[in-house]
Amino acid sequence: MEKRAWLFCRVGGGHEHDGKEILAQQERKLLDYCAEQGLRVAGSTAAIGTGREELEKLVDEGIAHDSFDVLVSASISRLGRNIMDVLSTAHKLEENGIGLCLVKEGICTMPVHENDVEMGGLAL
């Protein structure tokens, strides 16, 4: 079964004049990544600034509505600057069977089904 991906793009504050172009570049990169990995893009969220509120809302609504199987972002830095916040988000996703792909770092954690036995692992 094809996995559903949700893209999360973010640029920091101070990019008000070129933020939309940077977000568009991130989205194109993530769309290419999903196509290479055989992920169907279910939607995307873009944020300028910390993006913390947008990310929390995305994760909560994604879980509540079963909107996606994997959250895809360009880099761990797009999820936040505080490692505890990033780990909290990753843990919440994992607890709900949702993977996390960080393209720059080459990390993708999501449930892998092999012979109908679910296993956790890295999938790239």
Side-chain angles (χ1 to χ4, degrees):
M1 184 167 100
E2 192 175 49
K3 297 215 182 281
R4 300 164 298 153
W6 197 278
L7 312 181
F8 182 73
C9 303
R10 183 184 72 79
V11 296
H15 289 283
E16 288 76 16
H17 65 284
D18 61 351
K20 288 183 181 181
E21 179 55 34
I22 294 170
L23 289 170
Q25 291 171 0
Q26 276 185 40
E27 185 174 45
R28 283 190 297 272
K29 181 178 182 176
L30 297 179
L31 288 168
D32 290 345
Y33 173 84
C34 289
E36 291 168 7
Q37 300 301 317
L39 299 169
R40 180 177 56 84
V41 176
S44 67
T45 298
I48 296 178
T50 66
R52 191 77 211 144
E53 289 180 20
E54 292 91 339
L55 181 60
E56 287 177 5
K57 181 178 177 183
L58 166 62
V59 170
D60 289 343
E61 289 183 3
I63 291 168
H65 301 291
D66 187 30
S67 304
F68 54 92
D69 303 306
V70 60
L71 180 63
V72 181
S73 191
S75 173
I76 194 169
S77 66
R78 301 304 84 207
L79 299 182
R81 296 286 184 198
N82 178 317
I83 191 65
M84 296 309 291
D85 286 344
V86 172
L87 290 173
S88 175
T89 299
H91 182 70
K92 189 172 191 176
L93 291 168
E94 188 272 333
E95 281 184 322
N96 289 280
I98 299 172
L100 176 63
C101 291
L102 305 170
V103 176
K104 180 180 177 185
E105 291 80 9
I107 297 171
C108 190
T109 62
M110 58 183 153
V112 177
H113 296 278
E114 187 174 302
N115 297 327
D116 294 324
V117 177
E118 186 171 312
M119 304 176 336
L122 294 178
L124 284 179

